[in-house]
Amino acid sequence: MTPFHRLENTFEVGWKSPSNLALVKYWGKYGRQYPKNASISFTLDHAHSMTNFIAKPKTGTDLIDLSFKFEGENKPAFENKIKKFFESILDITPFLQEYTFEIESKNSFPHSSGIASSASAMSALSLCIMSLEQEIREDKLSETDFLKKASFLSRLGSGSASRSVYPNLAMWGEHRAFSGSSNDYAIPYYDQLNPIFLNFHDDILIVSKSEKSVSSTAGHALMDDNVYSSQRYQQANDRLEVLIAAMKEGNLDDFGKIVEDEALTLHALMMCSQPSYILIEPNTLNLIKSIRDYRNQTGVPVYFSLDAGPNIHLLYPDEHKEHVKSFIQDDLEKYCLKIIEDQVGQGPSKLNSTI
Ligand code: PMV
């Protein structure tokens, strides 16, 4: 067991952590939030959470004593979720029983904008917990081990959050072709990639702001009985290798084919789950059609992806940003409630002041 000393005074820290977009998707899990296949994602930049974390020597008698505010307001449902998360990781971070926590968080993107915030929120929170651990550890962690453990804790909060702790691109899930890959935590994976991908654009085209009718947790569970599940897990692992090869070469055609097919496969799996469900909306299809038509007509390498929801991620290299800007204004904006311009980002950072 790592020896920890007990803090007598207040400890305060804040982290800003981004959302991410999976290029090869994680969909299906087992055990203690382990993925059924390996996945890789772009770390985003503008879509992020900021979390402020205050720990004081414990006063209450509850096992976990914390209060949580989201954008200045009490949110009992989120607070309960965080309490449960803290309880679930006590075997890893037992010191969480010894403090009273005041946690406050906010997102850079508007609330209910249809952007999933669990990856940014859980990674920001896990980084705060790790900063506390680092403060009270007798043997300090190296930066690499600090991030590895932050990714590990993030994974336990929300699988995809494990990938948000690294800049550019991160891979999560054990894969025989990638040494160091692990089901326990994500690893950074961008060193040998063509630099075109390190400032790729990822504009989020919001077509609906409503809550998902089926949560990710329920969606993962439905994969257990999906008749295509075992082929799907194999397909994802195979595709990961092809995608990485394309990203090393800078082969945008292959990159686009895989990324778009991954998005459509994810939604096809939902449609053929028992019970079946559909998260895309008519305007999702209008956007997909417009993006394909524009690409075929102009040759501009612009592609789409989807998360577990109806909103489109529009992906394109920086050198085409002016063309794509006009394309968005002329052909896409009419299908969107809102557009959040984003791109591949540099990963989390510690905040200098309180949020
Ligand atoms: O991390 P979760 O449990 O919200 O699952 C996320 C699943 C997808 O966003 C659809 C895919 C992924 O790999 O991020």
Side-chain angles (χ1 to χ4, degrees), residues 185-200:
Y185 45 78
I187 55 169
Y189 200 89
Y190 55 88
D191 273 355
Q192 295 161 36
L193 301 187
N194 188 297
I196 196 174
F197 294 108
L198 302 185
N199 59 355
F200 228 68

Side-chain angles (χ1 to χ4, degrees), residues 20 22 24-27 39 118 158-160 163 216 220 266 307-308:
N20 67 70
V24 170
K25 312 283 184 188
Y26 143 64
W27 199 237
S39 58
S118 66
S158 168
S160 57
R163 299 182 309 240
S216 284
H220 285 290
L266 171 70
D307 257 329

